[in-house]
């Protein structure tokens, strides 16, 4: 297994280019199953998650080529049953269910199970499929969904934490080939949902309202092949913006969409960073001193839960008390005990982390537990005095393309080593 060795204390300087969005790419890769014509999708980041998804598409019978960020898929003949081992290893693969149900009227996939950040049930996905006329059976760790006909209908998809991103994606894809009109209420408004709707529309789907809580899909008989480019990764852009502020550096982030980052940039400004924006570029640096701020994660356009850990790491450096409240996932503070190993002072109170910031961090060996927690540990290691070893970086490689290479270009002293 690999680790990162980071010698901290170096302000990051220079330019970094953001890769395509992992969370836009995964549902779009699944959507290629909706047609038997060739699809070409560009700008897909080379990550373990996207490589997994390509393997899953191939295991369903599609002809798949994925190299250099370009995916070519032709799903001429498909089987509705996805390999348990593959699906089990990546939660995001749940979004093949909607396209398979739409195309084959049946699908059987393994239940994704929980993960370290929360229970993550799929009841809302299944509620949506049932509303479209599917029979659902859960047995032996599998979900069987089948329908004589997929019929458009209105379904409310709001849950305990508000909307569901992949639930909205799955129902939207299933509804594309349905008889009649589907309305998804309390739909997720994330930019990744808008990107998926744009991809489906380019394939010939009839969708309106994507990006708002009410999405309407008028079913069509068939969809055609298409060429498309996914949006840049807003979470990666946010991660580099926070790293610039944490190391007291100045970084220009290229190929990003500032309009997808309003809540993050607003909080960064409050915390003492200056942000210069251009159409597809951001320059972030620390103004003078960092300031303590309160952050609460919410569905889009609120502050993203996928940036909570990185922001918590930054706030350990800001003098004063910051309260970080996680409203989306019930156990997404795995990074807190590891940040404490670097000298941070954080207490967990229910859904909130009380951060007593301003104490300098010092390097230590720490353990990554999930994708965004590992990004937080890298940021803290870059800001800390001395050497930090971040272990189990396979978590990070799931969602950040060549992060160490990009950071070295910004002057970071970071290298990838084999864990002893
Ligand atoms: C997507 O996951 C992202 N993953 C997650 O990013 C992100 O954290 C999440 O949306 C929220 O923004 C991908 O796009 C691949 P949800 P998703 O369904 O769709 C509850 C990362 O770091 N819920 O919007 O699986 C659920 O338990 C990853 O890149 C139900 O109760 O998340 C959670 O509390 C991590 N029933 C909340 O809703 C359901 O049927 C939001 O989950 C579905 C969800």
């Amino acid at each position: 297994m690999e680790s990162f060795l980071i010698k901290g204390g170096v302000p990051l300087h220079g330019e970094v280019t953001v890769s395509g969005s992992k969370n836009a790419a995964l549902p779009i890769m699944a959507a290629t199953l909706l047609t038997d014509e060739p699809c070409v999708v560009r700008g897909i980041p080379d990550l373990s998650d996207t490589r997994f998804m390509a393997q899953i598409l191939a295991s369903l019978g599609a002809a798949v080529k994925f190299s250099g960020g370009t995916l070519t898929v032709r799903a001429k003949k498909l089987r509705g049953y996805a390999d348990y081992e593959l699906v089990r290893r990546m939660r995001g693969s749940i979004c093949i269910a909607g396209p398979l149900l739409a195309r084959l009227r049946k699908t059987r996939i393994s239940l994704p199970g929980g993960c370290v950040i929360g229970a993550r049930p799929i009841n809302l996905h299944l509620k949506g499929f049932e509303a479209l006329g599917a029979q659902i059976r859960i047995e032996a760790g599998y979900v069987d969904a089948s329908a004589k006909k997929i019929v458009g209908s209105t379904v409310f998809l709001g849950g305990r934490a508000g909307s569901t991103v992949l639930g909205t994606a799955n129902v939207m894809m299933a509804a594309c080939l349905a008889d009649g009109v589907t309305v998804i209420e309390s739909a997720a408004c994330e930019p990744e949902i808008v990107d998926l709707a744009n991809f489906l529309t380019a394939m010939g789907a009839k969708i309106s309202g994507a990006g708002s809580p009410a999405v309407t899909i008028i079913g069509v008989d068939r969809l055609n092949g298409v060429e498309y480019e996914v949006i840049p990764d807003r979470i990666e852009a946010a991660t580099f913006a926070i790293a610039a502020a944490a190391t007291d550096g100045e970084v220009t982030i290229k190929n990003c969409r500032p309009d997808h980052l309003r809540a993050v940039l607003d909080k960064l400004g409050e915390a003492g960073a200056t942000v210069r924006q251009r159409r597809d570029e951001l320059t972030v640096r620390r103004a003078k001193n960092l300031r303590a701020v309160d952050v609460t994660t919410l569905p889009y356009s609120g502050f993203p839960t996928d940036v909570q850990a990185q922001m918590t790491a930054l706030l350990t450096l800001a003098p004063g008390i910051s309260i970080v409240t996680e409203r989306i996932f019930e156990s997404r503070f795995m990074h807190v005990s590891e940040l404490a190993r670097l000298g941070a002072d954080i207490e967990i109170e229910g859904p909130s982390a009380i951060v007593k910031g301003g104490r300098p961090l010092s390097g230590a060996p720490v353990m990554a537990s999930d994708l965004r927690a590992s990004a937080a540990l890298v940021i803290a290691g870059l800001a800390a005095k001395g050497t930090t070893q971040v272990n189990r970086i396979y978590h990070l490689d799931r969602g950040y393309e060549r992060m160490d290479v990009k950071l070295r270009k910004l002057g970071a002293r970071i290298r990838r080593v084999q864990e002893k």
Side-chain angles (χ1 to χ4, degrees):
M1 268 197 278
E2 293 182 318
S3 308
F4 278 159
L5 266 187
I6 304 170
K7 286 210 176 80
V10 180
L12 299 181
H13 278 283
E15 293 184 350
V16 63
T17 301
V18 166
S19 301
S21 162
K22 165 184 82 81
N23 290 347
L26 293 174
I28 285 176
M29 292 171 82
T32 62
L33 299 171
L34 284 164
T35 178
D36 57 5
E37 292 180 12
C39 292
V40 178
V41 187
R42 295 191 177 80
I44 297 194
D46 184 13
L47 307 165
S48 49
D49 274 12
T50 50
R51 290 195 295 274
F52 263 142
M53 184 56 98
Q55 283 175 36
I56 291 172
L57 300 181
S59 78
L60 293 166
V64 178
K65 212 165 106 269
F66 180 31
S67 74
T70 298
L71 174 87
T72 309
V73 176
R74 178 135 203 207
K76 241 177 157 184
K77 230 172 151 333
L78 283 178
R79 65 185 189 145
Y81 167 78
D83 183 85
Y84 175 83
E85 266 318 307
L86 278 177
V87 171
R88 184 182 65 72
R89 291 164 73 176
M90 183 186 63
R91 285 193 54 79
S93 54
I94 184 74
C95 57
I96 63 173
L100 291 174
L101 190 59
R103 186 91 189 266
L104 306 176
R105 301 281 181 272
K106 66 176 170 47
T107 180
R108 170 171 236 244
I109 59 168
S110 61
L111 271 171
C115 81
V116 288
I117 65 175
R120 304 185 74 177
I122 58 164
N123 57 311
L124 297 169
H125 299 236
L126 304 182
K127 177 183 175 186
F129 294 157
E130 278 176 331
L132 295 176
Q135 311 291 320
I136 304 289
R137 220 158 42 86
I138 297 184
E139 200 181 87
Y142 285 92
V143 179
D144 280 297
S146 61
K148 290 201 182 55
K149 234 160 73 147
I150 303 280
V151 182
S153 140
T154 296
V155 59
F156 182 86
L157 275 192
R160 182 193 58 78
S163 56
T164 161
V165 178
L166 290 181
T168 302
N170 247 334
V171 177
M172 197 157 75
M173 291 189 277
C176 284
L177 297 176
D179 288 1
V181 179
T182 298
V183 178
I184 303 176
E185 292 171 340
S186 187
C189 305
E190 271 67 6
E192 294 77 24
I193 290 293
V194 176
D195 206 28
L196 174 62
N198 291 343
F199 178 74
L200 295 168
T201 303
M203 293 173 87
K206 294 201 171 101
I207 302 175
S208 55
S212 83
V215 178
T216 302
I217 306 107
I218 304 172
V220 296
D221 294 343
R222 60 176 279 104
L223 294 171
N224 48 265
V226 70
E227 295 211 12
Y228 192 81
E229 172 127 15
V230 301
I231 55 175
D233 196 310
R234 65 189 168 106
I235 308 299
E236 184 190 8
T239 303
F240 280 108
I242 291 172
T247 59
D248 199 4
E250 176 162 348
V251 174
T252 295
I253 302 158
K254 300 179 91 65
N255 183 37
C256 71
R257 290 277 305 266
D259 57 320
H260 291 167
L261 288 163
R262 296 271 173 255
V264 175
L265 301 178
D266 176 61
K267 271 299 160 196
L268 267 178
E270 243 182 81
T274 60
V275 179
R276 270 202 325 280
Q277 307 182 21
R278 284 169 291 294
R279 198 174 56 76
D280 60 355
E281 207 174 282
L282 279 172
T283 299
V284 178
R285 65 181 183 80
R286 198 192 290 183
K288 258 209 283 35
N289 300 321
L290 288 175
R291 291 187 293 271
V293 296
D294 296 343
V295 176
T296 299
T297 65
L298 291 166
Y300 190 86
S301 58
F303 191 94
T305 173
D306 295 347
V307 184
Q308 178 262 98
Q310 301 92 313
M311 197 69 186
T312 304
L314 175 72
L315 294 173
T316 64
L317 307 165
I321 305 276
S322 299
I323 300 177
V324 178
T325 303
E326 175 57 54
R327 290 268 178 243
I328 306 294
F329 291 106
E330 57 277 23
S331 45
R332 199 169 204 178
F333 283 128
M334 302 291 282
H335 43 286
V336 166
S337 53
E338 296 304 303
L339 288 172
R341 294 176 54 76
L342 300 173
D345 183 351
I346 309 175
E347 262 174 61
I348 302 293
E349 288 275 338
S352 300
I354 318 295
V355 184
K356 298 189 187 104
R359 197 197 282 175
L361 301 179
S362 55
V366 290
M367 186 73 78
S369 55
D370 62 85
L371 169 56
R372 308 304 171 183
S374 28
L377 299 179
V378 169
I379 290 172
L382 291 167
K385 207 163 60 336
T387 301
T388 296
Q389 175 157 348
V390 182
N391 294 314
R392 298 193 183 167
I393 51 167
Y394 61 84
H395 288 291
L396 200 95
D397 290 336
R398 287 193 40 229
Y400 292 93
E401 194 176 35
R402 295 177 294 108
M403 184 189 235
D404 50 329
V405 177
K406 292 185 180 184
L407 283 171
R408 268 198 300 280
K409 249 185 83 201
L410 296 172
R413 294 179 296 182
I414 179 170
R415 56 195 178 87
R416 186 181 284 263
V417 296
Q418 281 306 323
E419 251 174 55
K420 295 219 172 52

